[in-house]
Amino acid sequence: MLEDFDKAFENRVRLGIMAILMVNEWVEFLTFKELLDLTDGNLASHITSLEKSGYIEIKKSFIGRKTNTTYKATKKGKNAFDKHLKAIEALVKK
Amino acid sequence: MHTENNTHTETLSDIKNLMERSTRFISLSGISGITTGIIAITGVVLFCYYYSIDPFSGDLSILNQLPADNIINALLTAFAILVLSIGSAVILSVQKSRKMKVNVWGNSSKRFLINFFLPLIASGIFCLLLAFEIPDLVLPLSLIFYGMVLFNAGNYTISVIRSLGVIEMLLGIFCLVFINYHIVFWTIGFGVMHIIYGFNIYFKSDRNNA
């Protein structure tokens, strides 16, 4: 079972970001910041790492002159999260 | 091993919590439930007093006996109750959002508002038109409609709202069965139940976040 534990989700912030993206379609940077109570830099580094794993995709658009960045979980990311969650649940049930 | 198991349980509850907070509008104000209930009861009492209606008399024809102009007054009373209730709910929930430091106009609140107001407006228009045809059916139907609205909207806000929806639907059915006392049932549904649920939400949610 332990091999199902995903290294990308060892960190609580990354696990939190994915949890939010599992139940929402496109989520803004600011929303993550509020829900997870993080600084910009901290959040950005975890987002970048999830993107590198191919677990999330990023969309940049403009609202007036401000950039608005939103994030979405990829299919790969959702599968990985599901697998990781099942592994934790199996451990808890023991 | 035991402590590790605890950490995993904690992780699971963190995930669940985040999923809830990111999808549900959790800053619905309990106090606004209480004010809504008080406004509804006050409206009914004033209306009955003004037209010397005894809601406990068991006389069904009271609304039918009102001249046509007075149907409009009854509707205006109901409309005033609605506007004051929604107004107080909006103001108090915005305040609660600020206290909880969550975005008032985020995805979760938009989703809640559309799921609450769209069916509410449709059923409101239906009841409004029905008031000129079969006024006695308006009270039981508005309870059933409101119950269905809450049952649905409860998916997008504090989950106890769903059980309030079930109670309002049941009261709507009772209101039709005991139609001679429809004003009494309507007042229980829109007045008393709002106050009870308002207190419930206040003690469970508002106070912890004040």
Side-chain angles (χ1 to χ4, degrees), chain A residues 71-83:
Chain A
Y71 306 87
K72 187 186 168 179
T74 59
K75 198 152 193 179
K76 188 183 166 195
K78 286 192 171 180
N79 288 339
F81 185 85
D82 272 335
K83 215 171 157 190

Side-chain angles (χ1 to χ4, degrees), chain B residues 1-16:
Chain B
M1 198 60 206
H2 195 73
T3 47
E4 202 173 291
N5 208 341
N6 280 350
T7 342
H8 291 318
T9 319
E10 217 175 89
T11 311
L12 286 178
S13 83
D14 278 354
I15 291 174
K16 196 174 160 243

Side-chain angles (χ1 to χ4, degrees), chain A residues 11-60:
Chain A
N11 179 286
R12 290 214 130 177
V13 175
R14 292 201 286 269
L15 193 65
I17 294 173
M18 279 309 289
I20 295 168
L21 288 176
M22 290 298 282
V23 287
N24 290 280
E25 207 179 359
W26 288 99
V27 178
E28 287 173 32
F29 192 84
L30 194 71
T31 312
F32 286 125
K33 225 181 113 177
E34 276 174 5
L35 286 166
L36 299 164
D37 201 16
L38 294 170
T39 59
D40 284 7
N42 196 350
L43 179 58
S45 73
H46 288 299
I47 283 179
T48 315
S49 114
L50 281 172
E51 197 201 359
K52 274 186 189 147
S53 314
Y55 287 177
I56 60 174
E57 58 178 289
I58 296 180
K59 190 170 72 180
K60 283 198 166 117

Side-chain angles (χ1 to χ4, degrees), chain B residues 173-193:
Chain B
I173 293 166
F174 283 129
C175 186
L176 186 66
V177 174
F178 305 102
I179 190 131
N180 291 9
Y181 298 95
H182 58 354
I183 297 182
V184 178
F185 281 98
W186 195 89
T187 313
I188 294 172
F190 282 90
V192 180
M193 290 319 300

Side-chain angles (χ1 to χ4, degrees), chain B:
Chain B
M1 198 60 206
H2 195 73
T3 47
E4 202 173 291
N5 208 341
N6 280 350
T7 342
H8 291 318
T9 319
E10 217 175 89
T11 311
L12 286 178
S13 83
D14 278 354
I15 291 174
K16 196 174 160 243
N17 185 352
L18 267 175
M19 286 178 166
E20 287 245 341
R21 275 202 303 152
S22 62
T23 48
R24 287 172 186 261
F25 176 66
I26 47 163
S27 40
L28 188 67
S29 155
I31 302 172
S32 76
I34 302 171
T35 55
T36 298
I38 293 171
I39 292 165
I41 293 174
T42 314
V44 171
V45 169
L46 286 178
F47 185 79
C48 288
Y49 179 76
Y50 189 76
Y51 287 107
S52 322
I53 291 169
D54 176 8
F56 296 99
S57 68
D59 182 4
L60 178 61
S61 53
I62 38 185
L63 285 187
N64 288 329
Q65 277 168 2
L66 294 175
D69 301 0
N70 294 345
I71 293 280
I72 292 175
N73 286 343
L75 287 173
L76 282 175
T77 313
F79 189 69
I81 291 175
L82 189 72
V83 170
L84 288 171
S85 303
I86 290 175
S88 73
V90 169
I91 294 169
L92 291 164
S93 295
V94 167
Q95 274 180 352
K96 188 174 163 187
S97 293
R98 290 208 179 118
K99 269 186 199 152
M100 292 172 77
K101 296 201 175 85
V102 295
N103 190 358
V104 195
W105 193 232
N107 283 337
S108 53
S109 58
K110 282 181 205 158
R111 205 160 10 191
F112 166 68
L113 290 175
I114 186 109
N115 278 284
F116 178 69
F117 278 108
L118 202 68
L120 187 75
I121 292 168
S123 43
I125 294 172
F126 184 91
C127 287
L128 185 75
L129 297 174
L130 189 69
F132 294 99
E133 306 295 330
I134 320 166
D136 284 314
L137 276 186
V138 171
L139 299 190
L141 266 179
S142 63
L143 278 167
I144 289 178
F145 282 150
Y146 186 57
M148 295 196 289
V149 168
L150 291 182
F151 191 68
N152 172 48
N155 286 323
Y156 307 94
T157 182
I158 304 169
S159 54
V160 292
I161 294 298
R162 272 170 80 78
S163 64
L164 178 59
V166 173
I167 292 173
E168 299 285 1
M169 287 190 268
L170 284 173
L171 281 170
I173 293 166
F174 283 129
C175 186
L176 186 66
V177 174
F178 305 102
I179 190 131
N180 291 9
Y181 298 95
H182 58 354
I183 297 182
V184 178
F185 281 98
W186 195 89
T187 313
I188 294 172
F190 282 90
V192 180
M193 290 319 300
H194 272 139
I195 295 175
I196 293 173
Y197 270 77
F199 271 112
N200 179 315
I201 294 172
Y202 175 76
F203 284 116
K204 275 194 191 151
S205 164
D206 293 30
R207 234 177 24 164
N208 303 336
N209 297 301

